[in-house]
Amino acid sequence: MDITLVVADYRKPSHAAAIVTLMSAYALDPMGGGRDLPERVKTQLVERLAQVPTALSVLAFAGAEPAGLINCFEGFSTFQCQPLMNIHDVTVLPAYRGRGLSRRMLALVEECARERGCCKLTLEVLEGNKTAQQAYRKFGFAGYELSPATGRALFWEKPLMSSGANVERKNPIKDY
C-alpha cells in the first residue's frame, strides 16, 4: 500500500474534495454520529477552514484515493504561555484501518506543532471508542488531572445554535 501524507492546501481541488469526502464518511460512522454532514457544510467547509489562520489539516492518500484525515486548530495554553495544537477530527476510512495510518498522521501533526512552537497536543475521544483510545495511548496521549483531589479533566459543550442555523455573527464585546 503506497500511502502519501500531506499538509492540506485548502485551495487545491483534490485536497478540498478529499476533506469533504473524508469528513462525510466520518460523520456517517457511528463514532461520528451516524448522520451525513448537511449539504451546507459540505459546500462551505473547506472555504471556511481556509479562513481560519490557525487551521491545519493532514491528509493521507492511498495512491490518488483519500484514506485518512486529521483536522487541527492552534490554541493557546495560558498556563504555559505558548500555543498548543488541538486535534479536532481524526478519521481513517475502514479499508485502511489497522495499518498505522493514524499514527503516521499524528506524527506529521506533531512535527507541524513543534515547528509552530506548540507546547502540547490536545484531543478529545469518546468513552466508547476503545480502538482510538488505544491508538492515542500508544502515541503518548493520556487523560490529565492537575491533582488527584480535583480529578480528571472532562470535555463539555454548550451548543449555541442549531446545526442547521445560518446566523449572522455579532460582536458580543461592547465598549462601555
Side-chain angles (χ1 to χ4, degrees):
M1 172 177 62
D2 181 31
I3 297 291
T4 304
L5 301 182
V6 298
V7 173
D9 178 346
Y10 300 127
R11 298 165 303 195
K12 190 171 183 176
S14 62
H15 290 189
I19 290 168
V20 173
T21 296
L22 291 161
M23 283 303 301
S24 179
Y26 182 29
L28 287 164
D29 189 273
M31 293 302 165
R35 290 188 326 223
D36 200 2
L37 299 172
E39 284 304 312
R40 163 188 77 74
V41 173
K42 289 180 182 182
T43 59
Q44 296 178 12
L45 178 60
V46 178
E47 178 184 335
R48 297 294 298 271
L49 280 170
Q51 294 171 3
V52 179
T54 62
L56 170 73
S57 298
V58 168
L59 286 163
F61 289 94
E65 296 300 313
L69 168 69
I70 296 181
N71 286 317
C72 311
F73 301 92
E74 191 176 303
F76 190 79
S77 169
T78 53
F79 278 49
Q80 296 293 320
C81 193
Q82 289 181 268
L84 61 83
M85 186 65 69
N86 178 258
I87 297 167
H88 190 70
D89 304 302
V90 178
T91 187
V92 175
L93 291 179
Y96 302 101
R97 293 179 184 164
R99 301 179 189 193
L101 197 50
S102 65
R103 178 188 46 76
R104 290 181 57 199
M105 290 190 301
L106 286 167
L108 181 52
V109 167
E110 181 175 338
E111 181 183 323
C112 293
R114 288 182 187 278
E115 288 173 3
R116 292 180 182 204
C118 294
C119 63
K120 64 181 173 180
L121 299 175
T122 62
L123 59 75
E124 64 211 49
V125 61
L126 295 173
E127 280 182 290
N129 196 342
K130 303 299 183 191
T131 302
Q133 289 178 37
Q134 182 179 356
Y136 298 148
R137 280 190 193 96
K138 282 171 121 176
F139 196 76
F141 283 95
Y144 76 92
E145 62 186 19
L146 296 176
S147 76
T150 58
R152 291 178 296 177
L154 302 173
F155 180 82
W156 290 17
E157 76 169 355
K158 178 185 177 185
L160 300 178
M161 66 178 86
S162 70
S163 62
N166 193 2
V167 178
E168 182 181 330
R169 292 183 179 188
K170 297 185 183 204
N171 187 349
I173 301 171
K174 297 180 185 192
D175 291 327
Y176 291 96

